[in-house]
Amino acid sequence: MFITFEGIEGSGKSTLIGLVEGELLGRGEDVLQTREPGGTPAGDSVRSIFLDPAMRIDPIAEVMLLNASRAQLCVDVIRPAIRAGRTVLCDRFYDATIAYQGYGRALEIDGLLQVCLVATGGLSPDLTILLDLPAELSHERVLARARGGGHGVDRLEQESLDFHRRVRDGYLQMAQRWSSRFVVLDATQPPEVLVPQVLAAVAHVRERIRQTIP
Ligand SMILES: Nc1ncnc2c1ncn2[C@@H]1O[C@H](COP(=O)(O)OP(=O)(O)OP(=O)(O)O)[C@@H](O)[C@H]1O
Ligand SMILES: [Mg+2]
C-alpha cells in the first residue's frame, strides 16, 4: 500500500508521518518511510539545490528537478517496497508539484500531471492524506519552528502569503477532483487527534483494496 502526506509548509506532515509510522510498526507491520524531494542519494542532492534560498530556479526547472528526484525514488525505493508488500509512507509526492508549480506558479495542470506520471512510470498513491491548514497558520508554525532551532526558513517557505493561499486552495481542488484517494484532515487539530483519523483512513483503503483482489 502506498500512502502519501500532503499539505503546505508547517501543516504537520513530518510530525504526523512519524507518529503513524510508530503506530503501524507497533502493530508489527512492515513500514517504509520516505520523502520528496529526496529519499535517494541523487534525490537528496536535488533537495539541497531545490530548498537553497540562494538559488534562483525557474518554475519549469523546478518541475524537472522534482521529477528527477521522483523518478529515482520510484525506481530505487517505492516500487521495490510495494513489490515486497510493505506499506510505504511518503512525505509529499507528485500532488505537491501540481499544487506548488501548477496552482502556486500558474503552470498548466494537466501538462504537469502528464510529466509527473512519466516520472513515476504511472504510479499513483492508494491514499493521500491532505493536511489542510490556513496559510496564515502555516506561516506562524514555520517561524516558530525556525525560532525553536528546527531548520531555517527554506526557499519555498520564503514565498508570499498569497502563494501559499493559492497552493492551499489548489490542494483542496485536487482533493475534490481525485476524491477516491484523497482524505482531507483539519490540520489545526492536535497530532493525537489526527493519528487515529489517518489510521481509520488506512484501514478503510486496505479493505477496499482487499475487496478488489480476487
Ligand atoms: N497538529 C499540530 N498542531 C500544532 N502544531 C503542530 C502540529 N503538527 C505539527 N506541529 C508543529 O508545527 C511545526 C511544523 O510541523 P512539521 O515540521 O511536522 O510540518 P511539515 O508539514 O512537515 O512542514 P514542511 O512542509 O516545512 O516540512 C512544528 O514545529 C511542529 O511541532
Ligand atoms: Mg516536513
Side-chain angles (χ1 to χ4, degrees), residues 138-186:
S138 150
H139 188 65
E140 281 174 22
R141 283 193 192 173
V142 165
L143 290 183
R145 183 176 61 189
R147 273 197 303 273
H151 68 73
V153 175
D154 68 38
R155 200 174 58 86
L156 275 249
E157 288 166 355
Q158 287 182 338
E159 286 288 344
S160 67
L161 199 54
D162 258 1
F163 174 82
H164 288 105
R165 286 196 183 115
R166 288 197 298 279
V167 175
R168 185 221 185 174
D169 291 346
Y171 267 131
L172 289 172
Q173 288 183 49
M174 293 159 63
Q176 287 197 342
R177 177 170 172 185
W178 294 298
S179 58
S180 62
R181 73 174 163 90
F182 264 87
V183 169
V184 184
L185 301 182
D186 173 0

Side-chain angles (χ1 to χ4, degrees), residues 85-159:
R86 306 180 74 184
T87 298
V88 178
L89 307 177
C90 193
D91 192 334
R92 296 193 184 281
F93 197 56
Y94 71 70
D95 293 310
T97 304
I98 311 287
Y100 281 77
Q101 280 69 40
Y103 289 95
R105 304 225 193 274
L107 296 183
E108 200 262 318
I109 305 291
D110 286 299
L112 277 183
L113 184 60
Q114 284 184 22
V115 176
C116 289
L117 288 172
V118 169
T120 70
L123 180 68
S124 289
D126 298 304
L127 170 65
T128 299
I129 302 291
L130 173 57
L131 292 170
D132 179 52
L133 190 72
E136 292 79 2
L137 285 179
S138 150
H139 188 65
E140 281 174 22
R141 283 193 192 173
V142 165
L143 290 183
R145 183 176 61 189
R147 273 197 303 273
H151 68 73
V153 175
D154 68 38
R155 200 174 58 86
L156 275 249
E157 288 166 355
Q158 287 182 338
E159 286 288 344

